[in-house]
Amino acid sequence: MSSSANSFLKRRISRQSVIQWADNVVTVGGDAPVRVQSMTNTDTADAIGTAIQVKELARAGSEIVRITVDTPAAAAAVPSIRDQLDKMGVYVPLVGDFHYNGHTLLKDYPDCAQALSKYRINPGNVGQGAKRDVQFSQMIEMACRYRKPVRIGVNWGSLDQDLLAKLLDENAASSHPKELREVMAEALIQSALQSAARAEELGLDGNQITLSCKVSAVQDLIAVYRDLAKRCDYSLHLGLTEAGMGSKGIVASTAALSVLLQEGIGDTIRVSLTPEPGAPRENEVIVAQEILQTMGLRNFTPMVIACPGCGRTTSTYFQELASRIQTYLRHQMPIWKKDYPGVEAMNVAVMGCIVNGPGESKHANIGISLPGTGESPAAPVFVDGIKVKTLRGDNIAEEFQVIVDEYVKNTYRAQ
Ligand code: SF4
């Protein structure tokens, strides 16, 4: 389904930015797939802790990782973080997230400027009044000097107050004043576009500019990006800022990003989840991948299709089997990805009874229909639509896993 669904989606035409570290080249925009990125929440001055978290995010599938660079100690730690990652064989590009003092840090810490693969600049946080243009120019000059792409990342929470005040005055004087929300949306977009134009005037290659205009409300985000997408051809970074915790954060991000991705808008995504205490940071990477995969835009890990269960389900056995298979598939992917190209598009169905079980199982690459209430204790297994076996007894999970392994080995062998 995934590859065919792709043909329904028409991507917005955008310029392509190239983000690189060593031999790892990550393109964003143009004909590149929609990229998954994430951000650490460690103190960047803690070089070991940050390098470990970057490695975990990269191993989970983050193609670009952003780190906060907010203090001299953080800037001083960046080359060491890069070095440790390189020693671990993790060549994921690092993006430095700068606010307020980026112009100074990039100048004072040239090794940091070099070790980063991209700079994020927030035009609302580069300085006030006359300092604003000077400090913005200094950051762009650094990007030109070190040949680094930039993201001009505007945020609802740190909007350029001078620009907003100007637009509010113009609106108040208008014979058809707009609502405050609309004026703020316009200020976000103008801030991004004017900053990008200024960066190009200063000599930065326009292909190397990615824009974002993040807000925290779904409808506002959709409206802002639809407008932004029409008004430029820069590559766009999508994300709902401050999405929140748990299911709220996942649902809000999915709702906003899916609408825009469906319209072909968005070249790289980040899901800004607030982690539950103790939850791994990599969850934001998994959610981003699942958004892209369920929309048929990219494949990352074989998907498990499972029914929700109902009164016909005799036990939680099928839930346990679905969970076990999902965990197993994700766990195998680092090895399978290398040895069995294409396996990431595989579908596995785990169903709870005869009502939809055999039908759904036939549609999947491999499916198992467990017995529901009153059914004989047998679990038919389907491979590419054909019933190949019926499992019985206490070892159904183990035997099903063996069938999955054999299918992968026989179907996705490297050419
Ligand atoms: S497949 Fe069977 S157990 Fe699963 S939800 Fe449908 S009726 Fe219920």
Side-chain angles (χ1 to χ4, degrees), residues 110-404:
D111 291 347
C112 164
Q114 176 53 36
L116 293 169
S117 297
K118 181 169 177 170
Y119 310 149
R120 183 271 170 108
I121 306 172
N122 179 342
N125 282 344
V126 287
Q128 296 297 317
K131 281 188 184 166
R132 185 190 170 281
D133 286 350
V134 175
Q135 292 173 182
F136 179 80
S137 302
Q138 288 170 340
M139 292 197 73
I140 296 299
E141 281 159 22
M142 287 299 178
C144 293
R145 180 181 306 171
Y146 290 97
R147 297 175 176 274
K148 306 290 181 182
V150 302
R151 169 161 68 99
I152 295 177
V154 185
N155 196 301
W156 189 256
S158 50
L159 190 49
D160 177 344
Q161 292 303 306
D162 296 340
L163 176 62
L164 179 61
K166 177 174 161 279
L167 292 185
L168 285 172
D169 286 348
E170 285 173 11
N171 191 54
S174 160
S175 53
H176 296 95
K178 293 177 182 161
E179 284 183 25
L180 177 61
R181 286 190 110 70
E182 292 176 86
V183 180
M184 287 189 76
E186 180 60 23
L188 278 164
I189 293 169
Q190 283 198 20
S191 178
L193 293 179
Q194 289 173 9
S195 302
R198 180 75 188 123
E200 287 204 62
E201 277 168 27
L202 291 163
L204 191 66
D205 178 355
N207 292 344
Q208 291 293 64
I209 298 173
T210 297
L211 299 184
S212 66
C213 286
K214 293 194 183 180
V215 301
S216 57
V218 171
Q219 294 296 348
D220 290 334
L221 190 90
I222 293 169
V224 164
Y225 271 87
R226 277 180 177 159
D227 200 1
L228 179 64
K230 275 193 224 135
R231 290 164 67 175
C232 70
D233 64 355
Y234 296 114
S235 53
L236 298 181
H237 165 125
L238 285 190
L240 188 74
T241 193
E242 286 97 43
M245 204 176 234
S247 61
K248 187 266 168 187
I250 295 171
V251 171
S253 291
T254 306
L257 268 50
S258 303
V259 170
L260 291 165
L261 290 166
Q262 184 67 20
E263 295 174 13
I265 299 169
D267 301 295
T268 174
I269 65 170
R270 189 220 165 181
V271 175
S272 303
L273 294 183
T274 308
E276 307 270 4
R281 188 71 169 172
E282 305 91 274
N283 282 355
E284 69 171 61
V285 177
I286 293 168
V287 172
Q289 289 182 332
E290 287 180 345
I291 290 172
L292 295 177
Q293 184 152 355
T294 52
M295 291 194 68
L297 287 166
R298 291 187 69 181
N299 291 313
F300 298 95
T301 299
M303 297 284 263
V304 172
I305 298 149
C307 77
C310 67
R312 289 177 177 272
T313 324
T314 46
S315 69
T316 57
Y317 186 75
F318 93 99
Q319 292 165 267
E320 287 154 16
L321 180 61
S323 168
R324 177 177 168 155
I325 288 291
Q326 178 82 71
T327 306
Y328 179 69
L329 296 174
R330 196 167 276 284
H331 189 255
Q332 290 300 101
M333 271 315 282
I335 309 161
W336 283 357
K337 208 163 45 181
K338 282 191 243 122
D339 296 346
Y340 305 110
V343 66
E344 61 277 6
M346 180 174 74
N347 287 319
V348 179
V350 178
M351 300 294 290
C353 84
I354 200 169
V355 172
N356 290 322
E360 193 67 68
S361 298
K362 281 182 197 164
H363 290 306
N365 295 104
I366 310 173
I368 184 166
S369 180
L370 292 164
T373 313
E375 295 175 38
S376 70
V381 175
F382 298 82
V383 171
D384 289 331
I386 295 164
K387 186 173 150 189
V388 294
K389 215 168 199 169
T390 300
L391 301 179
R392 291 187 173 81
D394 297 332
N395 299 318
I396 288 179
E398 290 77 7
E399 289 175 36
F400 186 61
Q401 198 166 297
V402 169
I403 294 171
V404 171

Side-chain angles (χ1 to χ4, degrees), residues 12-82:
R12 162 184 170 267
I13 294 168
S14 64
R15 299 195 232 182
Q16 188 168 78
S17 161
V18 179
I19 311 168
Q20 187 163 8
W21 185 255
D23 291 336
N24 184 19
V25 177
V26 180
T27 47
V28 172
D31 61 359
V34 180
R35 301 293 184 185
V36 170
Q37 61 175 286
S38 60
M39 185 172 184
T40 56
N41 64 352
T42 51
D43 177 359
T44 306
D46 169 10
I48 293 175
T50 302
I52 289 169
Q53 194 178 72
V54 170
K55 181 191 77 174
E56 286 164 353
L57 290 165
R59 293 259 155 97
S62 186
E63 295 163 292
I64 302 161
V65 178
R66 184 159 44 116
I67 59 176
T68 300
V69 187
D70 56 342
T71 60
V78 170
S80 163
I81 294 166
R82 184 68 270 172

